Amino acid sequence: MKKYLILALSISMCVCEESVKNSTDDIQIKADNMQYDTSHKYADASGNARLSYMIKNSIVTLKSNHLHAEFDDKGNLTNAIAEGDVEIEYDNTKLYATKCVHTFNTNVAVCTGNDVKLIQEKNEVHGTEATLDIPTHIFTMQASQQEQVTCVVYPKQKEDKQ
């Protein structure tokens, strides 16, 4: 049986599958455990933490072991910090990292880790830090001084016209 936590509720600790919805009902957080601090306007979710929202008619899903979400005075999500086995998925793109900081006023996520991996179809890019501009699908991959960005790209094949 699932329980749902509405953001307006003041609750200190939640066990089972929980859900927090943004005031616009387009952002949803689910996790095995969640704590919401009304005075400091943040939620901490752990165990199968999952944040979902819509951008330009596409669902964006951020999954991690732990998620810290910060809200403004109106209850809108402003920042989300995901740590541990982070995965972001939207359209045909998947990104894997150790930590991601997502800023919602710009919809930009900065993800870091020893092997940050971005996959689109068969194409892969690896580095240590990726910046994703989610609405425009523009990303930047960087590597630490000892590493290099590596990329495997498969060009699209033209279909034969007969």
Side-chain angles (χ1 to χ4, degrees), residues 7-122:
L7 188 58
L9 295 177
S10 173
I11 193 158
S12 61
M13 186 61 155
C14 307
V15 181
C16 301
E17 184 176 347
E18 306 295 339
S19 175
V20 172
K21 285 191 175 185
N22 199 28
S23 61
T24 58
D25 289 334
D26 60 350
I27 296 175
Q28 189 174 64
I29 301 171
K30 292 183 178 183
D32 293 337
N33 300 293
M34 193 178 313
Q35 180 176 354
Y36 181 64
D37 184 327
T38 55
S39 62
H40 294 99
K41 299 175 192 77
Y42 73 84
D44 281 320
S46 61
N48 300 307
R50 179 185 182 111
L51 179 139
S52 300
Y53 61 98
M54 296 286 291
I55 291 182
K56 295 183 178 180
N57 297 318
S58 293
I59 296 175
V60 179
T61 304
L62 185 149
K63 300 175 190 174
S64 66
N65 295 335
H66 178 79
L67 179 70
H68 175 81
E70 299 169 351
F71 301 88
D72 65 15
D73 291 336
K74 295 179 182 178
N76 295 310
L77 187 58
T78 58
N79 295 300
I81 302 166
E83 295 185 272
D85 297 323
V86 177
E87 178 184 327
I88 296 177
E89 182 176 357
Y90 68 103
D91 290 341
N92 65 343
T93 303
K94 285 190 177 187
L95 181 130
Y96 301 93
T98 304
K99 180 179 180 178
C100 285
V101 178
H102 191 300
T103 305
F104 279 86
N105 64 348
T106 59
N107 275 317
V108 171
V110 177
C111 303
T112 57
N114 290 332
D115 182 20
V116 177
K117 177 170 50 173
L118 184 102
I119 300 173
Q120 287 182 324
E121 297 174 2
K122 295 181 195 177

